[in-house]
Amino acid sequence: MTDKKYLFKSDRLGFRNWEMEDIPKMYAINSDPKVMEYFPFIPTYGQTESFVGQMLIQFQKKGFCYFAVETLSVGKFIGFIGLSEKDFKTTFSPFVDIGWRLGKYAWGKGYGTEGAERCLAYAFEELKLEKVMSLAPVVNQKSIHVMEKIGMHKVTTFKHPQLKEDKRLESCFLYQISNKEWKTKLKI
């Protein structure tokens, strides 16, 4: 197990900024058609490299990103869970999105929910954000289930402007949770 400096931890996961050696590991996850089932394309190595670069810049500017995530037990990289600023053209942009992408080997263990809950705590306790949103194609019931498990509620259904060429993915749900709702959920 590597001795990483984590920005924060949950019971089983460590959240950290990205490192260059994460690129091939993230590319392997991105290359899995099952992982990318609800995305319009499988990213190239260059696109994965660009994504990691964008996350490093966003973290430096904002103090958050889709964090690289490892299991604490063995230090295994499992993908990302975190926050990212989104500004594509919609009536609700810009907004802070909570999102995740995990390798299949990490599925079915509750890591997505555990990690998303910890990232909400970071968003509301450390960053003092007013609200966090999340979106998923209507057909992506697994992600929608995680959104609901972490206390988010559906705000609207919309046609994603970046998915208008893909009729299967274009219709998306938008979920959100406010800082106040999150505190009420925790009874703080």
Side-chain angles (χ1 to χ4, degrees):
M1 179 170 92
T2 56
D3 185 24
K4 306 271 186 213
K5 280 201 162 189
Y6 295 113
L7 299 162
F8 54 90
K9 299 174 186 176
S10 65
D11 288 343
R12 300 178 295 160
L13 304 173
F15 300 78
R16 61 173 174 77
N17 207 346
W18 292 85
E19 301 168 351
M20 290 301 114
E21 52 267 19
D22 295 326
I23 295 169
K25 297 173 197 169
M26 193 67 228
Y27 175 66
I29 292 170
N30 283 345
S31 297
D32 186 328
K34 207 64 182 140
V35 171
M36 300 305 293
E37 180 179 3
Y38 301 111
F39 292 88
F41 62 89
I42 292 178
T44 64
Y45 190 90
Q47 289 167 324
T48 302
E49 189 173 37
S50 177
F51 165 81
V52 170
Q54 291 167 6
M55 292 302 101
L56 287 166
I57 291 167
Q58 187 176 133
F59 181 78
Q60 185 177 28
K61 289 182 177 179
K62 303 283 183 179
F64 62 82
C65 66
Y66 290 141
F67 299 106
V69 178
E70 295 176 340
T71 59
L72 292 174
S73 61
V74 294
K76 182 176 177 65
F77 176 85
I78 62 169
F80 69 75
I81 306 171
L83 308 161
S84 185
E85 194 166 69
K86 300 293 184 182
D87 62 359
F88 57 84
K89 190 174 171 138
T90 65
T91 57
F92 50 85
S93 296
F95 66 96
V96 175
D97 175 67
I98 186 166
W100 44 84
R101 185 174 307 155
L102 303 177
K104 274 193 314 199
Y105 48 83
W107 292 5
K109 296 174 174 46
Y111 291 148
T113 300
E114 177 182 328
E117 285 176 336
R118 183 60 183 93
C119 286
L120 283 180
Y122 182 76
F124 295 136
E125 292 174 357
E126 303 296 322
L127 301 173
K128 309 293 187 208
L129 297 179
E130 291 292 318
K131 69 181 173 185
V132 173
M133 300 177 122
S134 191
L135 55 93
V138 172
V139 295
N140 187 349
Q141 290 301 304
K142 289 179 183 175
S143 282
I144 292 163
H145 182 66
V146 172
M147 293 174 203
E148 291 171 350
K149 281 180 76 174
I150 64 173
M152 301 184 94
H153 63 274
K154 185 167 60 170
V155 176
T156 192
T157 304
F158 72 102
K159 301 282 187 189
H160 197 304
Q162 296 174 327
L163 297 174
K164 63 184 175 188
E165 301 301 318
D166 191 324
K167 296 303 174 201
R168 181 178 73 94
L169 302 177
E170 177 185 33
S171 184
C172 292
F173 288 140
L174 176 70
Y175 276 68
Q176 80 175 27
I177 187 169
S178 69
N179 194 318
K180 184 178 177 182
E181 289 166 332
W182 179 77
K183 286 178 180 170
T184 301
K185 177 184 172 229
L186 296 179
K187 297 180 174 82
I188 292 178

